[in-house]
């Protein structure tokens, strides 16, 4: 088999980080291949551990075997699903129940404000393609950042303006740091990149940080002031208490706000691939052009299956959210009981956890000549030797020169690269309890608490 | 509801033609709303008229209701489907059954040569993103061209180098015209666009033209000589007699060839969204990066459902193909019987049909002041007044300045804009027969054969 290509690959694509999940999967495969006595605890990719509701599975079977679902659908989704989803959002966000500042009741969301995509990654990519011309655009993103968002930046030749977050603030991005970026960009000459959007993920991936409705008001005002889009990735919206924000009650929200969502987490059907975009119909019209070239339509059977079920699934969503919050508490209890480990922030699907500082220099215990271990080393040892699959913090941060060039509060700590992301929602309480002995074992392997031996190269 | 956006839309997206299918759907809606006595004959979007096989529907129901399918899958697809599809291609193309020019048996396709995408539009877009840096790339495309391909060109700021085709040649692109483009580009200075691929759709959309294996050998040699990718969109491959080409038997095919495919037409499941890419593993590695950002994975249930079924569906594919060929003959018989109508080319899902020359000046019959009717006018009248939904040739050609700027053989004829695309595979033989009276009626409405009245504005 010949290996060379006679044509070239676009430099922006070769410069993009390779997908990180397969790397974690390889560790899992290696662990499983070594016939471990302990089952693998997979807390890596954010995948709901519970199966979809029985009613959802039954409806999926029905819709999938209906020849009518096998035909093409509308570019922006089945109208029935868009209507149903608008109603869900009106309920969840309490749209129209409060009066806006002008004293008028705000208008409710309708199907015309909603587009359906083949997952939320697609929703984000479509939006970047529609709003950010390559080579002349920048986007504000808190750091740590969801890796696929960072990858899209490189792939689309859009400059990420990272806002490093401090663990002490629970990884909340500083609005004044964002303002500085926007002010600086405003003062710059033509030819430099122009900010087009602020992208916030709340509840956050990877840190689990949940931004309050009050904070989001401030971010909205900032975006509006600088005439950039405020893009909220609300994939994990079903796992917060109360309305995630009140921005849909603003009369002018359609001028500035775009809210992205997913059916993967709340309804637990990532393999069926459905996401959503809430935006002005004026924007959706342009997004439809991109979507037509990308998906023609999102897969129809899950759209048809869910359209009539959504209201009946509210109880299940709430139950999942309550169970997950209780699991978060259990998780904190377990982690806190392990010497040197610390939960730095948590919420939604994830907990962001600091492994013991000692690990950074405890590498002699691994029989390798290394002075310092980063999060990827630690995640690898934890998976290969203890059967606990997590994602290292390094997957959510730029590396090398890009990391060195970062400025601002939180930057130094990000460079310390000492966190792991645990996807709590992937597993049940029993699995969380099993983490205790596994992390104790890890401490043993890493020689935690023993005298530190620094090995020179 | 406020309508303005405080942020801008990327110029490349606003410049992209709006999706054309919804326009045709509006005509259909208007026709149906006027309570016609005759049912709508929908020969517009290429949608298989027959339902999927019963075994496929049953497998879809099973896979969709299996909680395991609800989890994420591999970025480039289920390994079982990739293996099964490789085997299907090996059989269909007879890979490895003939000896290559070097006398060695060529190697068969394997799962490593195959990626699964959320439909073939995505496959094409992913490829353009991976191979064509915006603003510095060009792509050779025969004209008429599939509208989503042209839209991707504009959206990605890639210059289309159109090769206008002549109806007399059955809309076959001239290889010497393509060579001229490539030679010209080679002689151009830095800073101009560089050709990255030749994209051929065979059987063609919209013209139905089927390029012979011999012709495709020549295209391959041309692409190889100029070090551009030869991208074959083989969405309609299941509707040709015998192997579509022998390029997979070339020892070096992976250096130059990329073959795109779809499950939408052969397996009749467009609503489930599955496409495929056959390419070098060295290319697929980069495509995986783009796919991760776009789809994470293609919908899993249809992948899982089809993986074990493919060999059993060969009989059904052949039967569909035979039935479609017979329907093409019937269609020609019907069209030929209508004064002034002519089938110019046909194959795969489509027939490209010239409406009567007289229509171009027969607009007085419509009670409107127009001197000349284009294909969109004719398609609209045909749908609104006769209940026959087709797509106008104008959907597959650039318009305005871009059309004026075209050069070469076939250009003048393309400007005449006198064709309609009929999607033969959408309907059964009975519907094809019903076309007869409908087109007769159309001739009546258009005053065909009557004295032409030219109305001055």
């Amino acid at each position: 088999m010949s290996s060379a290509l006679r044509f070239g690959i676009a430099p922006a694509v070769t410069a993009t980080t390779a997908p990180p999940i397969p790397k974690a999967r390889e560790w899992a495969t290696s662990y499983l291949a070594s016939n471990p006595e302990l089952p693998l605890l997979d807390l890596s990719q954010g995948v709901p551990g519970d199966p979809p509701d029985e009613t959802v599975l039954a409806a999926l079977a029905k819709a999938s075997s209906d020849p009518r679902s096998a035909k093409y659908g509308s570019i922006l989704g089945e109208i029935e699903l868009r209507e149903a989803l608008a109603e869900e959002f009106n309920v969840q966000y309490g749209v129209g129940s409060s009066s806006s500042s002008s004293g008028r009741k705000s208008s409710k969301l309708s199907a015309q404000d909603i587009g359906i995509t083949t997952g939320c990654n697609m929703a984000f990519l479509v939006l970047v393609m529609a709003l950010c011309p390559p080579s002349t655009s920048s986007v504000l993103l808190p750091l740590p950042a969801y890796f696929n968002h960072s990858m899209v930046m490189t792939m689309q030749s859009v400059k990420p303006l990272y806002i490093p977050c401090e663990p002490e603030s629970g990884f909340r991005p500083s609005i004044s740091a964002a303002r500085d970026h926007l002010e600086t960009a405003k003062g710059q000459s033509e030819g430099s990149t122009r900010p087009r959007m602020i992208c916030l993920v709340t509840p956050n991936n990877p840190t689990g940080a949940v931004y309050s409705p009050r904070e989001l008001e401030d971010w909205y005002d900032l975006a509006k002031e600088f005439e950039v889009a405020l893009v909220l990735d609300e994939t994990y919206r079903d796992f917060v208490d109360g309305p995630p924000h009140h921005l849909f009650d603003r009369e002018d929200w359609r001028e500035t706000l775009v809210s992205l969502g997913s059916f993967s987490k709340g309804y637990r059907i990532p393999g069926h691939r459905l996401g959503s975009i809430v935006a002005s119909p004026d924007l959706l019209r342009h997004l439809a052009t991109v979507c037509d070239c990308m998906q023609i339509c999102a897969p129809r059977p899950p759209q048809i299956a869910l359209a009539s079920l959504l209201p009946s699934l509210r109880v299940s969503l709430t139950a999942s959210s309550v169970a997950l919050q209780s699991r978060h508490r259990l998780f904190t209890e377990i982690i806190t009981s392990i010497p040197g480990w610390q939960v730095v922030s948590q919420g939604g699907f994830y907990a962001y956890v600091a492994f013991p500082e000692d690990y950074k220099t405890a590498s002699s215990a691994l029989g390798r000549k290394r002075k310092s271990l980063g999060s990827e080393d630690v995640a690898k040892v934890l998976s290969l030797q203890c059967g606990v699959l997590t994602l290292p913090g390094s997957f959510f941060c730029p590396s090398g020169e890009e990391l060195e060039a970062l400025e601002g509060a939180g930057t130094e700590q990000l460079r310390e690269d000492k966190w792991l992301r645990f996807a709590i929602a992937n597993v049940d309480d029993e699995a969380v309890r099993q983490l205790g002995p596994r992390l104790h074992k890890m401490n043993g392997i890493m020689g935690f608490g023993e005298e530190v031996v620094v090995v020179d190269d």
Side-chain angles (χ1 to χ4, degrees), chain A:
Chain A
M1 189 188 298
S2 154
S3 67
L5 302 171
R6 289 180 74 92
F7 49 84
I9 306 291
V13 172
T14 56
T16 303
T17 311
I21 294 290
K23 194 185 274 189
R25 296 240 67 81
E26 276 174 30
W27 301 335
T29 306
S30 296
Y31 177 76
L32 293 170
S34 65
N35 299 311
E37 68 275 26
L38 295 168
L40 180 77
L41 301 180
D42 185 352
L43 295 97
S44 60
Q45 194 176 18
V47 187
D50 290 330
D53 268 73
E54 284 299 332
T55 55
V56 172
L57 291 172
L60 285 166
K62 187 166 170 234
S64 293
S65 58
D66 186 335
R68 287 170 297 185
S69 328
K71 307 217 169 196
Y72 289 110
S74 299
I75 298 170
L76 288 182
E78 304 294 311
I79 190 70
E80 293 81 4
L81 180 63
R82 293 166 68 192
E83 282 167 355
L85 200 58
E87 178 56 18
E88 288 312 293
F89 292 154
N90 284 327
V91 171
Q92 184 172 15
Y93 291 80
V95 185
S97 59
S98 66
S99 295
S100 69
S101 51
S102 66
R104 288 206 312 150
K105 280 249 178 183
S106 59
S107 70
K108 298 213 170 201
L109 304 186
S110 81
Q112 305 311 311
D113 299 314
I114 291 180
I116 304 295
T117 56
T118 309
C120 191
N121 264 15
M122 181 182 287
F124 181 75
L125 175 60
V126 164
L127 202 63
V128 171
M129 289 169 79
L131 265 50
C132 306
S135 307
T136 62
S137 304
S138 55
V139 167
L140 278 77
L141 297 165
L143 208 58
Y146 174 41
F147 46 76
N148 280 127
H149 287 180
S150 300
M151 287 164 70
V152 165
M153 296 296 108
T154 314
M155 192 173 87
Q156 290 300 107
S157 301
V158 173
K159 187 181 173 186
L161 299 176
Y162 287 121
I163 310 166
C165 298
E166 295 177 280
E168 290 75 16
S169 75
F171 288 109
R172 288 188 145 54
S174 146
I175 200 155
S176 73
R179 176 176 285 278
D180 288 347
H181 271 307
L182 293 166
E183 293 283 7
T184 305
K186 211 172 177 180
Q188 275 170 352
S189 60
E190 293 288 318
S192 48
T193 61
R194 199 180 125 184
R196 313 280 178 174
M197 59 166 85
I198 299 169
C199 178
L200 305 178
V201 184
T202 178
N204 192 258
N205 179 1
T207 67
V210 181
Y211 309 153
S212 72
R214 180 64 251 161
E215 275 176 294
L216 293 171
E217 295 286 329
D218 293 340
W219 283 101
Y220 181 89
D221 290 333
L222 183 75
K224 182 177 168 179
E225 178 184 344
F226 285 89
E227 301 196 324
V228 299
L230 176 64
V231 178
L232 300 183
D233 179 337
E234 304 194 66
T235 291
Y236 306 94
R237 75 174 104 220
D238 295 317
F239 303 94
V240 289
D241 269 339
H245 57 74
H246 302 292
L247 297 175
F248 294 131
D249 271 329
R250 296 237 189 174
E251 259 185 88
D252 62 1
W253 74 263
R254 289 177 185 81
E255 296 174 9
T256 298
L257 181 66
V258 180
S259 165
L260 310 181
S262 177
F263 292 75
S264 298
K265 314 301 177 180
Y267 301 113
R268 307 193 292 277
I269 53 166
H272 293 261
R273 311 305 306 121
L274 283 187
S276 66
I277 304 176
V278 187
S280 162
D282 290 318
L283 174 57
L284 284 169
R285 187 166 55 83
H286 295 289
L287 300 184
T289 299
V290 183
C291 283
D292 189 38
C293 294
M294 198 180 285
Q295 67 175 11
I296 301 186
C297 63
R300 290 189 80 193
Q303 295 188 66
I304 293 167
L306 284 175
S308 62
L309 286 183
L310 295 189
S312 71
L313 295 170
R314 283 177 207 160
V315 175
S316 166
L317 286 179
T318 306
S320 296
S321 178
V322 169
L324 187 50
Q325 285 170 46
S326 140
R327 198 168 306 137
H328 267 294
R329 286 190 295 272
L330 175 65
F331 179 80
T332 304
E333 229 174 80
I334 300 286
I335 297 293
T336 310
S337 74
I338 316 293
W341 288 77
Q342 189 198 344
V343 179
V344 184
S345 65
Q346 65 188 135
F349 260 38
Y350 305 112
Y352 219 50
V353 174
F355 51 81
E357 290 281 347
D358 284 18
Y359 281 18
K360 303 290 289 183
T361 50
S363 54
S364 64
L366 299 173
R368 288 189 301 173
K369 277 193 160 188
R370 294 194 68 158
K371 271 195 268 189
S372 176
L373 292 185
S375 64
E376 189 169 329
D377 302 302
V378 172
K380 194 171 171 181
V381 174
L382 185 60
S383 61
L384 293 182
Q385 303 208 25
C386 308
V388 176
L389 196 62
T390 63
L391 294 188
S394 62
F395 283 7
F396 305 95
C397 260
S399 60
E401 284 175 25
E402 205 179 352
L403 180 62
E404 287 309 314
L406 283 180
E407 288 175 6
T411 307
E412 277 310 315
Q413 283 175 298
L414 286 176
R415 289 194 189 116
E416 288 178 19
D417 185 23
K418 57 185 181 187
W419 299 289
L420 301 176
R421 189 193 80 175
F422 285 73
I424 309 291
N426 290 24
V427 294
D428 58 16
D429 289 354
E430 180 46 36
V432 170
R433 283 189 199 97
Q434 287 177 35
L435 284 174
R438 307 276 185 119
L439 297 184
H440 271 297
K441 181 180 174 189
M442 181 70 179
N443 275 359
I445 291 168
M446 302 299 285
F448 177 79
E450 297 169 13
E451 197 181 339
V452 173
V453 183
V454 177
V455 181
D456 289 321
D457 283 325

